[in-house]
Amino acid sequence: MFNPGRVANVTVLLAALASPAAAQSEGALKSYFEGTRVTLRMDMPGAADGVDVRPDAGRAIDYKEYGNDLKRYGTSIRSGDTVSVTLVKVKKDLIEFHLAGGGFGTFSDDTNTSASIPSVEKSDREKNLEKRVRDENDRERKRELQRDLDELRDRRERENRRITAERERIEERKKARIAEERLRGGSRFNLRYKDSVPPGMRPEDVIAALSEYVDFRGTDTRRDETPAAAPRGDITQLRKGMLRADAEREFGTPAESSERREGDLTIATLVFSIGEQRVSADFVEDVLVRYTITSK
Protein backbone atom coordinates (compact mmCIF):
# COMPACT_ATOMS: atom_id res chain seq x y z
CA MET A 1 0.00 0.00 0.00
CA PHE A 2 1.21 3.49 -0.84
CA ASN A 3 2.61 5.21 2.22
CA PRO A 4 3.19 9.00 1.79
CA GLY A 5 5.13 9.16 5.06
CA ARG A 6 7.53 6.48 3.93
CA VAL A 7 8.11 8.23 0.59
CA ALA A 8 8.85 11.48 2.42
CA ASN A 9 11.32 9.70 4.69
CA VAL A 10 13.09 8.11 1.71
CA THR A 11 13.32 11.50 -0.02
CA VAL A 12 14.88 13.07 3.05
CA LEU A 13 17.31 10.15 3.36
CA LEU A 14 18.38 10.43 -0.30
CA ALA A 15 18.94 14.17 0.08
CA ALA A 16 21.01 13.57 3.19
CA LEU A 17 23.14 11.00 1.37
CA ALA A 18 23.55 13.18 -1.74
CA SER A 19 24.72 16.24 0.18
CA PRO A 20 27.78 14.57 1.78
CA ALA A 21 28.60 12.98 -1.59
CA ALA A 22 28.62 16.40 -3.25
CA ALA A 23 30.69 17.79 -0.42
CA GLN A 24 33.16 14.93 -0.74
CA SER A 25 33.48 15.53 -4.50
CA GLU A 26 34.14 19.22 -3.92
CA GLY A 27 36.62 18.44 -1.17
CA ALA A 28 38.55 16.06 -3.43
CA LEU A 29 38.62 18.58 -6.29
CA LYS A 30 39.70 21.42 -4.02
CA SER A 31 42.44 19.31 -2.48
CA TYR A 32 43.74 18.23 -5.89
CA PHE A 33 43.56 21.51 -7.84
CA GLU A 34 43.69 24.53 -5.54
CA GLY A 35 47.16 26.02 -5.33
CA THR A 36 48.43 24.12 -8.38
CA ARG A 37 49.56 25.93 -11.52
CA VAL A 38 48.20 25.33 -15.00
CA THR A 39 48.96 26.74 -18.44
CA LEU A 40 46.18 28.19 -20.60
CA ARG A 41 45.67 27.07 -24.19
CA MET A 42 43.28 29.93 -24.98
CA ASP A 43 42.83 33.59 -24.06
CA MET A 44 40.54 34.20 -21.08
CA PRO A 45 38.18 37.20 -20.67
CA GLY A 46 38.75 39.51 -17.72
CA ALA A 47 35.45 39.03 -15.90
CA ALA A 48 33.82 36.77 -13.35
CA ASP A 49 31.53 35.53 -16.16
CA GLY A 50 34.52 33.52 -17.38
CA VAL A 51 34.07 30.89 -20.10
CA ASP A 52 31.16 28.43 -20.02
CA VAL A 53 32.08 24.85 -20.98
CA ARG A 54 29.30 22.28 -21.46
CA PRO A 55 31.01 18.87 -21.42
CA ASP A 56 27.84 16.96 -22.28
CA ALA A 57 26.87 19.21 -25.24
CA GLY A 58 27.72 18.81 -28.92
CA ARG A 59 29.54 22.15 -28.91
CA ALA A 60 31.25 22.65 -25.56
CA ILE A 61 31.89 26.41 -25.95
CA ASP A 62 29.68 29.06 -27.52
CA TYR A 63 32.44 30.82 -29.45
CA LYS A 64 30.22 33.75 -30.41
CA GLU A 65 29.59 34.49 -26.74
CA TYR A 66 33.26 33.86 -25.96
CA GLY A 67 34.39 36.32 -28.64
CA ASN A 68 31.96 38.97 -27.44
CA ASP A 69 33.26 38.61 -23.87
CA LEU A 70 36.87 39.01 -25.03
CA LYS A 71 35.94 42.21 -26.86
CA ARG A 72 33.83 43.52 -23.99
CA TYR A 73 36.12 42.71 -21.05
CA GLY A 74 39.57 42.37 -22.60
CA THR A 75 42.02 39.51 -22.03
CA SER A 76 43.16 38.94 -18.45
CA ILE A 77 45.03 35.67 -19.05
CA ARG A 78 46.67 34.95 -22.39
CA SER A 79 47.21 31.63 -24.07
CA GLY A 80 50.53 30.28 -22.82
CA ASP A 81 50.31 32.02 -19.43
CA THR A 82 50.83 29.84 -16.34
CA VAL A 83 48.59 30.77 -13.40
CA SER A 84 47.37 29.34 -10.10
CA VAL A 85 44.04 27.60 -9.56
CA THR A 86 42.61 29.69 -6.74
CA LEU A 87 39.20 28.09 -6.11
CA VAL A 88 37.11 25.09 -7.14
CA LYS A 89 33.43 25.31 -6.22
CA VAL A 90 30.80 22.62 -6.89
CA LYS A 91 27.19 23.80 -7.19
CA LYS A 92 23.99 22.05 -8.32
CA ASP A 93 24.69 21.95 -12.07
CA LEU A 94 27.98 23.83 -12.15
CA ILE A 95 31.65 23.52 -11.24
CA GLU A 96 33.48 26.85 -10.99
CA PHE A 97 37.19 26.57 -11.79
CA HIS A 98 38.83 29.86 -10.76
CA LEU A 99 42.14 31.00 -12.21
CA ALA A 100 44.33 33.73 -10.67
CA GLY A 101 41.43 35.12 -8.63
CA GLY A 102 38.42 34.04 -10.66
CA GLY A 103 37.85 37.20 -12.69
CA PHE A 104 37.02 40.79 -11.83
CA GLY A 105 33.54 41.05 -10.31
CA THR A 106 34.16 38.18 -7.88
CA PHE A 107 33.29 38.62 -4.20
CA SER A 108 33.65 42.28 -3.13
CA ASP A 109 35.00 43.80 -6.36
CA ASP A 110 33.47 47.22 -6.98
CA THR A 111 31.89 47.15 -10.45
CA ASN A 112 29.88 50.35 -10.03
CA THR A 113 30.78 53.04 -12.59
CA SER A 114 28.19 55.65 -11.59
CA ALA A 115 28.95 58.86 -9.68
CA SER A 116 26.37 59.86 -7.07
CA ILE A 117 26.45 63.63 -7.37
CA PRO A 118 22.88 64.98 -7.29
CA SER A 119 21.82 67.81 -9.55
CA VAL A 120 20.67 71.12 -8.06
CA GLU A 121 16.89 71.22 -7.86
CA LYS A 122 14.72 74.31 -8.10
CA SER A 123 14.89 76.34 -4.92
CA ASP A 124 11.78 77.57 -3.11
CA ARG A 125 12.71 81.08 -4.24
CA GLU A 126 12.77 80.02 -7.91
CA LYS A 127 9.41 78.27 -7.57
CA ASN A 128 7.98 81.33 -5.85
CA LEU A 129 9.27 83.64 -8.61
CA GLU A 130 7.69 81.39 -11.27
CA LYS A 131 4.35 81.74 -9.50
CA ARG A 132 4.70 85.51 -9.11
CA VAL A 133 5.60 85.93 -12.82
CA ARG A 134 2.48 83.98 -13.78
CA ASP A 135 0.25 85.99 -11.44
CA GLU A 136 1.70 89.50 -12.02
CA ASN A 137 -0.41 91.78 -14.22
CA ASP A 138 1.80 94.85 -14.19
CA ARG A 139 4.08 94.62 -17.26
CA GLU A 140 7.04 96.48 -15.80
CA ARG A 141 6.91 94.56 -12.57
CA LYS A 142 6.46 91.30 -14.50
CA ARG A 143 9.66 92.06 -16.52
CA GLU A 144 11.60 92.71 -13.31
CA LEU A 145 10.42 89.46 -11.78
CA GLN A 146 11.26 87.59 -15.01
CA ARG A 147 14.82 89.00 -14.98
CA ASP A 148 15.26 87.80 -11.40
CA LEU A 149 13.87 84.41 -12.35
CA ASP A 150 16.12 84.11 -15.43
CA GLU A 151 19.19 84.99 -13.41
CA LEU A 152 18.34 82.43 -10.74
CA ARG A 153 17.57 79.77 -13.34
CA ASP A 154 20.81 80.46 -15.28
CA ARG A 155 22.82 80.14 -12.08
CA ARG A 156 21.21 76.75 -11.32
CA GLU A 157 21.73 75.48 -14.88
CA ARG A 158 25.41 76.57 -14.85
CA GLU A 159 25.92 74.66 -11.62
CA ASN A 160 24.20 71.60 -13.05
CA ARG A 161 26.42 71.72 -16.15
CA ARG A 162 29.44 71.80 -13.86
CA ILE A 163 28.05 68.86 -11.86
CA THR A 164 27.35 66.89 -15.05
CA ALA A 165 30.91 67.43 -16.27
CA GLU A 166 32.31 66.36 -12.87
CA ARG A 167 30.04 63.31 -12.82
CA GLU A 168 31.21 62.27 -16.30
CA ARG A 169 34.84 62.80 -15.31
CA ILE A 170 34.45 60.57 -12.25
CA GLU A 171 32.57 57.91 -14.19
CA GLU A 172 35.23 57.80 -16.91
CA ARG A 173 37.91 57.47 -14.25
CA LYS A 174 35.98 54.59 -12.64
CA LYS A 175 35.55 52.86 -16.01
CA ALA A 176 39.29 53.16 -16.68
CA ARG A 177 40.07 51.73 -13.24
CA ILE A 178 37.70 48.80 -13.74
CA ALA A 179 39.10 48.10 -17.22
CA GLU A 180 42.59 48.00 -15.75
CA GLU A 181 41.55 45.78 -12.84
CA ARG A 182 39.77 43.39 -15.21
CA LEU A 183 43.11 42.69 -16.88
CA ARG A 184 44.62 41.77 -13.49
CA GLY A 185 41.66 39.95 -11.91
CA GLY A 186 42.05 36.51 -13.45
CA SER A 187 39.24 34.50 -15.00
CA ARG A 188 37.42 31.19 -14.65
CA PHE A 189 35.88 28.22 -16.41
CA ASN A 190 32.29 27.28 -15.62
CA LEU A 191 31.69 23.57 -16.23
CA ARG A 192 27.92 23.48 -16.80
CA TYR A 193 25.88 20.26 -16.86
CA LYS A 194 22.36 19.80 -18.18
CA ASP A 195 20.62 18.76 -14.95
CA SER A 196 23.22 18.38 -12.24
CA VAL A 197 26.91 17.79 -11.71
CA PRO A 198 27.53 14.03 -12.14
CA PRO A 199 27.97 12.34 -8.75
CA GLY A 200 31.46 11.38 -7.67
CA MET A 201 33.29 13.88 -9.87
CA ARG A 202 37.02 13.14 -9.85
CA PRO A 203 39.95 15.36 -10.77
CA GLU A 204 40.42 13.23 -13.90
CA ASP A 205 36.89 14.13 -15.02
CA VAL A 206 37.59 17.86 -14.70
CA ILE A 207 40.92 17.47 -16.51
CA ALA A 208 39.19 15.61 -19.36
CA ALA A 209 36.53 18.33 -19.65
CA LEU A 210 39.12 21.15 -19.78
CA SER A 211 42.10 19.46 -21.46
CA GLU A 212 41.45 21.17 -24.80
CA TYR A 213 41.70 24.58 -23.12
CA VAL A 214 44.12 23.97 -20.23
CA ASP A 215 47.49 22.24 -19.97
CA PHE A 216 47.49 20.64 -16.52
CA ARG A 217 51.18 19.78 -16.65
CA GLY A 218 51.75 23.01 -14.73
CA THR A 219 54.93 24.20 -13.16
CA ASP A 220 55.65 26.22 -10.03
CA THR A 221 58.44 28.05 -11.80
CA ARG A 222 57.57 31.75 -11.78
CA ARG A 223 58.36 34.00 -14.70
CA ASP A 224 60.71 36.49 -13.17
CA GLU A 225 61.88 37.83 -16.47
CA THR A 226 59.81 39.44 -19.19
CA PRO A 227 60.16 37.34 -22.36
CA ALA A 228 61.49 39.02 -25.44
CA ALA A 229 58.89 39.98 -28.02
CA ALA A 230 58.36 37.27 -30.62
CA PRO A 231 59.39 38.14 -34.15
CA ARG A 232 56.74 38.98 -36.71
CA GLY A 233 55.33 35.86 -38.30
CA ASP A 234 56.19 33.66 -35.29
CA ILE A 235 53.79 30.73 -35.51
CA THR A 236 53.96 30.24 -31.73
CA GLN A 237 51.85 33.41 -31.38
CA LEU A 238 48.89 31.55 -32.92
CA ARG A 239 46.26 30.86 -30.23
CA LYS A 240 42.56 30.35 -29.76
CA GLY A 241 40.88 33.63 -28.86
CA MET A 242 43.24 35.66 -31.07
CA LEU A 243 41.45 38.47 -32.87
CA ARG A 244 41.42 38.40 -36.66
CA ALA A 245 43.04 41.84 -36.86
CA ASP A 246 45.90 40.65 -34.63
CA ALA A 247 46.36 37.52 -36.76
CA GLU A 248 46.56 39.52 -39.98
CA ARG A 249 48.92 41.99 -38.34
CA GLU A 250 51.16 39.14 -37.15
CA PHE A 251 51.03 36.87 -40.21
CA GLY A 252 50.23 39.27 -43.04
CA THR A 253 47.54 39.13 -45.72
CA PRO A 254 46.02 35.62 -45.93
CA ALA A 255 46.79 33.61 -49.06
CA GLU A 256 43.17 32.41 -49.17
CA SER A 257 39.91 33.38 -47.46
CA SER A 258 36.36 31.98 -47.49
CA GLU A 259 33.15 31.92 -45.47
CA ARG A 260 30.60 29.23 -44.63
CA ARG A 261 27.65 28.71 -42.29
CA GLU A 262 27.53 26.27 -39.38
CA GLY A 263 24.08 26.51 -37.84
CA ASP A 264 23.58 30.15 -36.85
CA LEU A 265 27.31 30.94 -37.01
CA THR A 266 29.29 32.40 -39.90
CA ILE A 267 32.76 30.84 -40.05
CA ALA A 268 35.49 32.82 -41.82
CA THR A 269 38.46 30.66 -42.84
CA LEU A 270 41.79 32.35 -43.52
CA VAL A 271 44.84 30.51 -44.83
CA PHE A 272 48.25 31.95 -43.90
CA SER A 273 51.59 30.99 -45.36
CA ILE A 274 54.17 31.07 -42.56
CA GLY A 275 57.64 29.92 -43.53
CA GLU A 276 57.43 26.27 -44.53
CA GLN A 277 54.01 25.84 -42.93
CA ARG A 278 50.42 26.45 -43.98
CA VAL A 279 47.91 27.56 -41.32
CA SER A 280 44.15 27.27 -41.86
CA ALA A 281 42.39 29.38 -39.20
CA ASP A 282 38.63 29.55 -38.49
CA PHE A 283 37.19 32.77 -37.05
CA VAL A 284 33.75 33.37 -35.52
CA GLU A 285 32.86 37.03 -34.98
CA ASP A 286 36.52 37.83 -35.80
CA VAL A 287 37.77 35.56 -32.98
CA LEU A 288 39.99 32.53 -33.70
CA VAL A 289 38.18 29.36 -32.58
CA ARG A 290 40.30 26.62 -34.19
CA TYR A 291 43.23 26.14 -36.53
CA THR A 292 45.29 23.46 -38.26
CA ILE A 293 48.95 23.56 -39.24
CA THR A 294 50.33 21.56 -42.16
CA SER A 295 53.59 21.49 -44.08
CA LYS A 296 53.64 23.03 -47.53
Side-chain angles (χ1 to χ4, degrees):
M1 181 180 294
F2 177 73
N3 187 331
R6 183 179 180 185
V7 172
N9 290 335
V10 170
T11 301
V12 171
L13 177 60
L14 289 175
L17 291 173
S19 180
Q24 289 170 8
S25 292
E26 180 177 89
L29 298 179
K30 291 171 79 69
S31 176
Y32 185 89
F33 288 113
E34 289 182 6
T36 63
R37 290 172 68 80
V38 297
T39 301
L40 275 297
R41 288 176 166 156
M42 63 189 294
D43 290 351
M44 298 294 291
D49 294 349
V51 175
D52 288 346
V53 178
R54 293 175 170 81
D56 49 5
R59 177 180 289 150
I61 290 181
D62 183 335
Y63 280 103
K64 184 175 182 180
E65 179 181 280
Y66 166 66
N68 288 337
D69 285 346
L70 282 178
K71 293 176 184 177
R72 179 181 178 186
Y73 300 121
T75 301
S76 64
I77 307 173
R78 294 197 172 276
S79 176
D81 285 352
T82 299
V83 299
S84 294
V85 179
T86 51
L87 178 68
V88 178
K89 181 70 176 175
V90 179
K91 298 183 178 179
K92 179 180 180 298
D93 58 352
L94 165 69
I95 298 176
E96 294 182 3
F97 195 84
H98 291 215
L99 302 165
F104 183 79
T106 303
F107 305 122
S108 59
D109 289 335
D110 180 12
T111 60
N112 181 23
T113 60
S114 62
S116 300
I117 306 178
S119 298
V120 177
E121 302 293 336
K122 287 183 182 180
S123 64
D124 289 341
R125 184 184 174 205
E126 185 176 345
K127 293 176 183 177
N128 183 52
L129 277 171
E130 286 177 336
K131 183 177 183 303
R132 290 176 65 187
V133 167
R134 285 194 303 269
D135 297 342
E136 183 60 57
N137 294 321
D138 182 271
R139 288 185 179 182
E140 187 60 31
R141 181 59 181 155
K142 191 180 187 76
R143 281 196 294 268
E144 291 175 0
L145 291 171
Q146 186 64 54
R147 280 196 299 270
D148 291 343
L149 175 60
D150 290 343
E151 182 180 344
L152 197 60
R153 183 179 292 155
D154 288 345
R155 189 183 308 157
R156 175 174 57 83
E157 290 176 351
R158 281 198 305 272
E159 179 61 13
N160 279 336
R161 285 195 295 271
R162 187 195 66 77
I163 289 172
T164 298
E166 178 66 9
R167 188 186 295 133
E168 291 174 352
R169 185 185 67 79
I170 293 173
E171 289 176 352
E172 286 302 315
R173 190 169 62 191
K174 283 189 172 185
K175 289 176 184 177
R177 175 187 60 79
I178 288 174
E180 181 181 351
E181 290 184 2
R182 284 192 189 284
L183 302 183
R184 296 186 281 108
S187 193
R188 73 176 67 173
F189 285 101
N190 304 304
L191 288 174
R192 296 189 180 275
Y193 296 87
K194 185 176 181 181
D195 296 314
S196 62
V197 173
M201 283 292 290
R202 304 165 301 165
E204 305 95 280
D205 300 320
V206 173
I207 291 173
L210 293 176
S211 61
E212 184 178 349
Y213 322 108
V214 180
D215 183 352
F216 287 90
R217 296 169 298 177
T219 174
D220 288 327
T221 303
R222 286 171 171 76
R223 301 178 178 184
D224 296 325
E225 297 180 1
T226 302
R232 178 179 174 82
D234 184 350
I235 202 168
T236 63
Q237 297 302 295
L238 196 65
R239 63 186 184 277
K240 290 183 180 180
M242 191 178 200
L243 297 181
R244 176 172 177 170
D246 291 338
E248 292 183 342
R249 185 162 44 249
E250 179 67 32
F251 307 119
T253 303
E256 302 173 24
S257 64
S258 61
E259 287 190 357
R260 69 182 186 279
R261 297 284 297 180
E262 286 189 10
D264 59 347
L265 299 179
T266 299
I267 312 293
T269 300
L270 306 184
V271 177
F272 297 99
S273 179
I274 307 172
E276 297 302 316
Q277 295 172 309
R278 183 176 185 272
V279 174
S280 177
D282 289 345
F283 293 83
V284 174
E285 296 288 322
D286 290 337
V287 175
L288 180 61
V289 297
R290 57 178 173 259
Y291 61 86
T292 57
I293 303 174
T294 58
S295 300
K296 290 182 180 177

